[in-house]
Structures are given as structure tokens and as C-alpha cells.
Amino acid sequence: KSSFYHLRNIAKISKFISSRHCETLIHAFVTSKIDHCNSLLSGLNQNQIQKLQYVQNSAARLLTGTRKQEHIMPILKKLHWLPVTARIRFKILLMTFKCLNLLAPRYLTDLLTAYKPPRSLRSSTKHLLVQPRYNLKTYGARAFSVAAPSLWNALPLDIRNCKNITTFKSAIKTHLFKKY
């Protein structure tokens, strides 16, 4: 509700400000609300995620001045905005990268374990993570300690081998754009 409130207010003043300033306002008041703690939304049902996607779509339509009847994916690509589901994955993968490179808090780093097979295997050089078992299907798979390794292990090897955070962000965003 608060995102739509801000969108309505931005729409009222959008004719008096430049497109760049309008985009800044949308990022400050709307996109930041969508991104706030969105990694906690991992594994949420599609109906709940669709509500956030609707907010993002409305913000994109306001910024570009497109009508509701036009398809949204070309607009999001033009703005270089990932869909909400991809944004959630992006945040989790970025936090996983930070954990593996000791750029994250220790309590998160301790949740992840690198996969080390007992003998020499081809998979030992692939920078995989151990996927822990969980009991509750609804909540267990949504935990960071379970969701992060499954998303990380699904990445291509060249992205997992990135050493620089800027390179990783660029590679993961490109990968998610291709996927979605």
C-alpha cells in the first residue's frame, strides 16, 4: 500500500521533473521497499511474489509512460530491472558470494560449508557448497543455509569462480537476465 501511495505522489509531480529525477524518486521510495530484506522472501509462493511484481511493473510503467496493455518484460529489460523473483535470487547469491569471500558477517559465513569430497573427484574443483538436509518443506527450504547452497550450486562454473565482487555482480545479473 505504501509503495502505491508513493507511486501516486510521484505520478502527480512527474510532469514537472525530469525523467532522471523521476527514476531517482522511484528508486528511493518504491524499489528500495521491494528490495528491503527481499532475500527473506525466497521460496515464497508465487501469489505473494506477484504482489511485489505488480508494484515493480507499475513503477516501470510510470517511469516509461507506457500503458497497462503493453507487455512488461521489454520495459523491464530496457530499464535493466530484474523481475522480483530474480532480484530475490540475486540478493541471496550476492550474500553467498560475500560469505565465501569473507565479506559478510561471521554468523552468515558459518552457515555455509564448502563441499570437500573424501577422495579426489572432478567435483572437488567446482567450488560447490554442501546442501544440508531439512525437515519442513515450507520453511526449511527457505532458510539461508539451504537456499544459498542450492542456488549457488546451480550457477555456471565461470560465475562461481569470480574473485571480484563487481565482476560477480555483472556476471550474475547477466545470467539472471538470460534466465528470466
Side-chain angles (χ1 to χ4, degrees):
K1 287 182 179 180
S2 68
S3 295
F4 281 116
Y5 169 77
H6 290 299
L7 278 175
R8 278 190 301 276
N9 287 338
I10 293 169
K12 289 177 186 175
I13 64 167
S14 65
K15 20 187 150 138
F16 304 112
I17 59 176
S18 69
S19 175
R20 196 178 98 242
H21 289 102
C22 186
E23 185 175 6
T24 303
L25 286 173
I26 287 174
H27 282 306
F29 292 108
V30 180
T31 311
S32 62
K33 289 181 187 278
I34 292 173
D35 282 344
H36 181 70
C37 294
N38 69 353
S39 60
L40 297 175
L41 304 175
S42 171
L44 206 60
N45 66 19
Q46 196 59 33
N47 188 27
Q48 297 293 333
I49 300 263
Q50 191 59 39
K51 293 177 183 177
L52 292 174
Q53 186 64 52
Y54 185 61
V55 171
Q56 185 187 34
N57 295 351
S58 299
R61 289 182 201 287
L62 171 66
L63 187 59
T64 58
T66 55
R67 295 181 315 213
K68 199 171 184 176
Q69 293 81 13
E70 294 180 41
H71 194 62
I72 194 66
M73 283 312 287
I75 298 167
L76 292 177
K77 282 184 181 181
K78 181 180 147 198
L79 292 172
H80 209 63
W81 290 2
L82 286 168
V84 174
T85 324
R87 289 171 93 92
I88 292 168
R89 288 179 181 215
F90 178 81
K91 287 282 185 129
I92 292 173
L93 289 168
L94 182 61
M95 186 56 65
T96 305
F97 178 84
K98 288 180 178 180
C99 288
L100 295 175
N101 291 296
L102 304 176
L103 300 170
R106 173 108 185 172
Y107 66 90
L108 287 175
T109 307
D110 292 342
L111 294 174
L112 303 176
T113 308
Y115 173 69
K116 293 181 183 150
R119 60 182 192 268
S120 181
L121 299 173
R122 282 184 285 177
S123 62
S124 60
T125 61
K126 293 192 177 187
H127 302 287
L128 298 174
L129 295 174
V130 175
Q131 291 182 323
R133 297 189 184 277
Y134 55 92
N135 292 330
L136 297 174
K137 185 175 183 180
T138 53
Y139 297 110
R142 293 177 56 192
F144 178 76
S145 59
V146 177
S150 73
L151 290 174
W152 182 261
N153 292 345
L155 286 177
L157 182 61
D158 59 324
I159 297 177
R160 287 193 308 254
N161 285 334
C162 287
K163 298 295 180 198
N164 185 351
I165 194 163
T166 310
T167 309
F168 178 78
K169 281 182 180 180
S170 175
I172 194 65
K173 200 165 186 182
T174 303
H175 173 71
L176 290 172
F177 261 118
K178 287 179 184 175
K179 189 172 183 179
Y180 288 93

